[in-house]
Amino acid sequence: MHIYEERLSVPRSWWALVVLGGAGLAVGAIPFGAVAAATVATLGMAVAAAIVHAHGRVRILVTPGSLVVGKRTIPIEALGMTEILDEREAFEWRTVRANPYALLLLRSYVPTALRIELRNSYGGAPYIYVSTRQPMNLAAVLAFSRS
């Protein structure tokens, strides 16, 4: 059972870039014939689409006992204070204020984030930075699941 679920899918413009990239590959392969151009475009678009799909497949889940961020599962007991980050603060925590030991789920196309302190440096990390489109909702769900 999921209390909260969010998928950080990529913007639609990225899919347009996949199509434009395939068209560019086709134009570049035209001197080798129409079949070669179609084959190169199809293969190039398939590879690019697989990469874009994998990048946008990451999920944030809150279950009754844990926070699942991407492939990492963190018990709720290990979570400390949460801080909602607006665009400016999120940028600072991604760049100049970032800790090299922190757990990060970064998505450049998601402007807001949530920074969650980890108790007892869970796994050696002082905090987890989570890109999220709904930081207030995620913070409220985490506060609810802790109580």
Side-chain angles (χ1 to χ4, degrees):
M1 179 176 109
H2 305 303
I3 300 171
Y4 176 87
E5 181 175 2
E6 180 180 0
R7 182 176 175 191
L8 298 178
S9 56
V10 297
R12 292 183 183 164
S13 60
W14 286 31
W15 292 105
L17 291 175
V18 168
V19 173
L20 288 174
L25 289 172
V27 168
I30 283 178
F32 301 105
V35 174
T39 303
V40 167
T42 303
L43 290 175
M45 285 175 40
V47 169
I51 292 168
V52 168
H53 176 70
H55 190 72
R57 197 175 69 197
V58 69
R59 292 180 185 262
I60 302 167
L61 302 171
V62 178
T63 61
S66 63
L67 168 67
V68 180
V69 180
K71 295 180 180 179
R72 185 172 300 261
T73 302
I74 302 168
I76 292 292
E77 301 83 39
L79 301 178
M81 187 183 78
T82 60
E83 180 183 357
I84 297 170
L85 305 174
D86 62 14
E87 290 183 40
R88 184 186 56 77
E89 292 170 326
F91 178 76
E92 286 179 9
W93 280 102
R94 282 192 310 262
T95 56
V96 295
R97 295 177 74 183
N99 186 319
Y101 299 107
L103 300 175
L104 305 173
L105 175 64
L106 294 173
R107 292 297 181 258
S108 61
Y109 49 85
V110 179
T112 55
L114 190 67
R115 190 179 74 84
I116 309 163
E117 291 182 8
L118 297 173
R119 295 186 180 144
N120 301 325
S121 293
Y122 176 79
Y127 65 88
I128 181 168
Y129 175 99
V130 181
S131 292
T132 175
R133 291 185 176 101
Q134 303 170 353
M136 290 182 164
N137 293 347
L138 181 55
V141 168
L142 289 173
F144 172 76
S145 63
R146 275 184 246 159
S147 59

